[in-house]
Amino acid sequence: MRMETIHIQRQIQHFEQRCKGAGLKVTHQRLEVYRELLGARDHPSAETLYKRLERRLPTLSLDTVYRTLATFEKLGLVHRLETAASQARYEVLHTRHHHFLCDVCGQVFDFFWPSFDTAELPSNVGEIGTVDHASVVVHGTCTACAQAQQEYDARQAESLQ
Ligand SMILES: [Zn+2]
Ligand SMILES: [Zn+2]
């Protein structure tokens, strides 16, 4: 069996245990929403997830996807990313990581930052309240967008000559 398959099976097991522990039924729809998000690498929005699932699950509604994701978030199964865009983006909670958000195309990239993870937060944060977790969102322009912009500028400059 491939490593990835084992990993997915473990995650699904964890998911089922977490649902049962919270008295939540593991319905086919819930399982499919989780599974789809588990396999996604692009931090999809609820709308994107819905579009991917609707062919397989014709009775699914966008509203159900929203509610399901909200429930999963409360159970600590998924993480909702606050982005500058209007639509929240989701991912299954996995290895601790941070996010690079391209402000041009809206893609979200994962990156690791071990020295941040092991650093202590400033003590005055504790005066504000208790911290559950800390993560970093870096805003910028991804390499593909920067390159496209460069090529566009070059063409503009050429046409002006
Ligand atoms: Zn980009
Ligand atoms: Zn991520």
Side-chain angles (χ1 to χ4, degrees):
M1 213 186 296
R2 287 173 58 207
M3 271 309 284
E4 202 163 31
T5 320
I6 297 168
H7 176 69
I8 287 172
Q9 281 179 346
R10 256 195 225 132
Q11 287 273 59
I12 301 257
Q13 259 174 16
H14 167 70
F15 165 77
E16 289 176 341
Q17 279 166 4
R18 201 81 188 74
C19 285
K20 277 177 195 151
L24 195 75
K25 255 207 210 140
V26 182
T27 62
H28 181 57
Q29 288 195 341
R30 283 185 182 136
L31 185 62
E32 285 302 306
V33 169
Y34 184 79
R35 201 196 292 271
E36 187 66 35
L37 192 57
L38 187 60
R41 286 282 160 270
D42 59 343
H43 309 81
S45 64
E47 278 85 353
T48 306
L49 265 183
Y50 170 67
K51 278 187 204 128
R52 287 176 192 169
L53 286 162
E54 65 175 338
R55 239 175 304 157
R56 233 164 49 229
L57 301 169
T59 58
L60 188 73
S61 70
L62 177 58
D63 193 50
T64 305
V65 176
Y66 269 115
R67 275 186 288 117
T68 304
L69 288 171
T71 307
F72 289 173
E73 197 195 348
K74 257 184 242 152
L75 291 182
L77 287 163
V78 308
H79 174 59
R80 183 162 54 101
L81 278 78
E82 300 301 343
T83 68
S86 57
Q87 291 180 358
R89 310 273 292 260
Y90 295 87
E91 71 184 331
V92 164
L93 270 184
H94 54 96
T95 324
R96 185 166 183 187
H97 64 274
H98 307 276
H99 294 107
F100 183 112
L101 175 62
C102 175
D103 290 322
V104 181
C105 66
Q107 277 194 87
V108 182
F109 303 88
D110 289 341
F111 68 89
F112 297 99
W113 192 359
S115 56
F116 174 90
D117 299 343
T118 51
E120 238 176 83
L121 288 171
S123 59
N124 55 1
V125 173
E127 288 160 25
I128 304 169
T130 46
V131 177
D132 294 323
H133 73 280
S135 72
V136 173
V137 178
V138 175
H139 288 261
T141 308
C142 76
T143 312
C145 286
Q147 204 169 351
Q149 184 62 45
Q150 231 171 40
E151 281 162 18
Y152 175 80
D153 289 345
R155 272 200 307 277
Q156 289 294 98
E158 235 167 69
S159 68
L160 288 174
Q161 276 172 11

